[in-house]
Amino acid sequence: MKGRRVPPTETRRTPVRRPRDRKQQIAAAAARLFRERGFHNVSMADVAEAVEITAPALYRHFRNKQLLLGYVVREALGDLKKLADNAPDLATLLRQMSTVVSEDRGLAILWQREARHLPAEEREELSQYLITVVGGYAALIRAARPELPDGDGEFLAWAVLGCFGSLSGLRTVISRTRAAATMEHLATVVAHCRLGRPVEQAPEALPVAGMAGVIPVSRREQLLTEAIRLFDERGFQSVSTEDIGEAVGISGPSLYKHFPSKTDLLVAAVIRAGERRQARTTQALARATGPREALELLLHAYIDFARENGRLIGLLISELGQLPEEHRQQSLQVQRDYLALWQQLLDQAVPGGDPLQAKVRIRAVLAVVDNVSRTGRLATRTDVADRLAEIGTALLLDP
């Protein structure tokens, strides 16, 4: 039997093969969009468009956006783990990690900002996974520095990751090659920083007799405190007024007796963060007798501020983009002025330095302090402030 003739106007369709790495393409596009716009501002249609596939094709791989986010965060942490697992020594790990973060500055954002939108059980699971990742970094640090106690190896590993994460907040233009070289150097400074003698853990504090816990707190203050906690834990867009009201035992609409809107709570929180940081800064610099001492006092003041206001630090890191434009611009200017103060004092303490290098160093110091201060596993150490001061001083003054 002869085959059917194909009319001249009819064309044969060539089957389209699905790329084997389609899932990885989707994850890469989603990671970029989540970092640039934030989880709530990205739709599955946006991801499909970025990969140039249809929405149904995307849903064959991920049933919903939250599953996609979980996969993206897990893959990012997995990449960090592979680097540590495959590196023969600490120097190789720091060099390879520096290359990775210089090519993709947004890795830290996925964990710090976007992972909060995952279910609590999955977040806890990923937190435990991150601890495993840090353990791999700590093992390489201890192998390079066998004299270190185990606790100090872990402390430095968290600090190293904070140092690498600082590049995600750097808005200054810097080439990938220079960024990689600079981050490798700074991470090496952190990993090899000489730490003071470890301090024994203090016994659990006994309750203090007196008025502690008896002084009444206004409803407005309760609402602001709980809003700060919830915004930090879940992200501003994931928290409702009902959530905030429930946290203090009132209905959601009752919140409006104290704040016109949920956004006004965020504005008040960010203003509070700036005021507390400024108060610490002013008190510290008033005691300085020279640029070098002023820089050291500024470092200690920031360490104290970060350790006492971890929740507010979280808002400054992740939620400024949720402010109304006027308040956002004001907050960004306050941040620029604060960084300019650091740069001015560093230039006076160490004249003739490269301004770009100074910016990167300062960002690294602040990120290390933020990362360690917000890491619960390190909270029981009574020497956290001293160890952070040693690392910060090394980063700022290392030639």
Side-chain angles (χ1 to χ4, degrees), residues 193-359:
C193 180
R194 293 184 62 182
L195 301 180
R197 295 182 61 183
V199 179
E200 293 183 2
Q201 305 303 318
E204 185 176 351
L206 297 174
V208 179
M211 294 297 293
V214 179
I215 301 175
V217 178
S218 70
R219 180 70 76 193
R220 187 180 191 280
E221 183 63 25
Q222 290 176 345
L223 287 166
L224 183 56
T225 299
E226 289 304 313
I228 290 170
R229 177 182 66 82
L230 291 170
F231 293 160
D232 180 42
E233 288 179 354
R234 306 182 196 173
F236 175 78
Q237 290 178 289
S238 297
V239 176
S240 67
T241 54
E242 287 73 17
D243 295 330
I244 299 169
E246 182 182 355
V248 298
I250 64 174
S251 64
S254 298
L255 178 148
Y256 299 118
K257 297 177 182 177
H258 306 276
F259 293 91
S261 68
K262 186 179 75 166
T263 298
D264 287 285
L265 274 163
L266 179 61
V267 170
V270 172
I271 290 174
R272 170 166 294 187
E275 290 175 343
R276 288 186 177 180
R277 186 176 64 183
Q278 184 58 46
R280 283 282 186 181
T281 300
T282 302
Q283 293 169 5
L285 297 185
R287 306 196 306 272
T289 57
R292 177 71 174 261
E293 185 182 11
L295 185 64
E296 293 174 351
L297 288 171
L298 181 61
L299 172 60
H300 283 275
Y302 187 75
I303 291 170
D304 291 341
F305 164 73
R307 295 185 63 219
E308 294 170 4
N309 299 278
R311 297 290 191 188
L312 291 175
I313 289 287
L315 301 193
L316 293 179
I317 291 173
S318 301
E319 301 301 336
L320 293 187
Q322 305 301 325
L323 291 171
E325 183 62 19
E326 179 183 359
H327 290 286
R328 188 178 74 85
Q329 291 299 331
Q330 291 173 354
S331 297
L332 291 175
Q333 186 58 54
V334 168
Q335 183 70 0
R336 285 191 289 267
D337 292 344
Y338 184 65
L339 293 172
L341 172 63
W342 277 85
Q343 190 145 3
Q344 177 185 354
L345 292 178
L346 180 56
D347 185 57
Q348 292 174 354
V350 188
D354 179 3
L356 179 55
Q357 290 281 347
K359 287 183 179 181

Side-chain angles (χ1 to χ4, degrees), residues 182-194:
T182 302
M183 294 312 300
E184 180 181 357
H185 172 72
L186 295 181
T188 301
V189 169
V190 173
H192 289 276
C193 180
R194 293 184 62 182

Side-chain angles (χ1 to χ4, degrees), residues 70-85:
Y71 181 85
V72 164
V73 173
R74 187 177 296 277
E75 285 291 292
L77 294 180
D79 290 341
L80 296 182
K81 187 174 186 301
K82 289 175 186 175
L83 286 174
D85 291 345

Side-chain angles (χ1 to χ4, degrees), residues 13 18 92 125 131 144 169 188 190 201 262 322 356 365 368:
R13 292 185 178 180
R18 189 185 310 163
T92 302
E125 180 185 344
I131 291 172
T188 301
V190 173
Q201 305 303 318
K262 186 179 75 166
Q322 305 301 325
L356 179 55
V365 170
V368 168

